[in-house]
Amino acid sequence: MDILYLMILCSVSLAAVFLVVFIVYARKGQFEDDESPAVRILFDSDEIKEKEESGNKEGDDEKGEKEKN
């Protein structure tokens, strides 16, 4: 029966720690931006594609030859 009291004490303590952490981060504004993550997927990632296409192909060939040797 003693272990039951210990488990209840531990679980209530852990829940209190999580509640305090949540309140601290809520006050810091961690959960303020609800709109951006939902809309971010709608934007195209052209910048990323352009960076991949404009890579140094000569440097890639030289790198590939070095790996073969």
Side-chain angles (χ1 to χ4, degrees), residues 1-58:
M1 192 68 179
D2 292 335
I3 193 70
L4 185 61
Y5 295 134
L6 179 66
M7 289 176 62
I8 291 172
L9 179 66
C10 289
S11 64
V12 169
S13 300
L14 188 63
V17 168
F18 282 129
L19 180 65
V20 168
V21 169
F22 175 76
I23 290 172
V24 167
Y25 282 111
R27 286 190 179 175
K28 287 185 178 181
Q30 180 75 25
F31 307 111
E32 291 294 321
D33 190 16
D34 293 336
E35 188 67 28
S36 293
V39 177
R40 189 180 316 151
I41 196 167
L42 299 175
F43 297 120
D44 289 334
S45 58
D46 291 336
E47 296 175 5
I48 296 172
K49 291 178 184 176
E50 289 175 4
K51 288 180 184 177
E52 289 175 356
E53 291 174 0
S54 66
N56 187 2
K57 292 186 178 183
E58 291 178 11

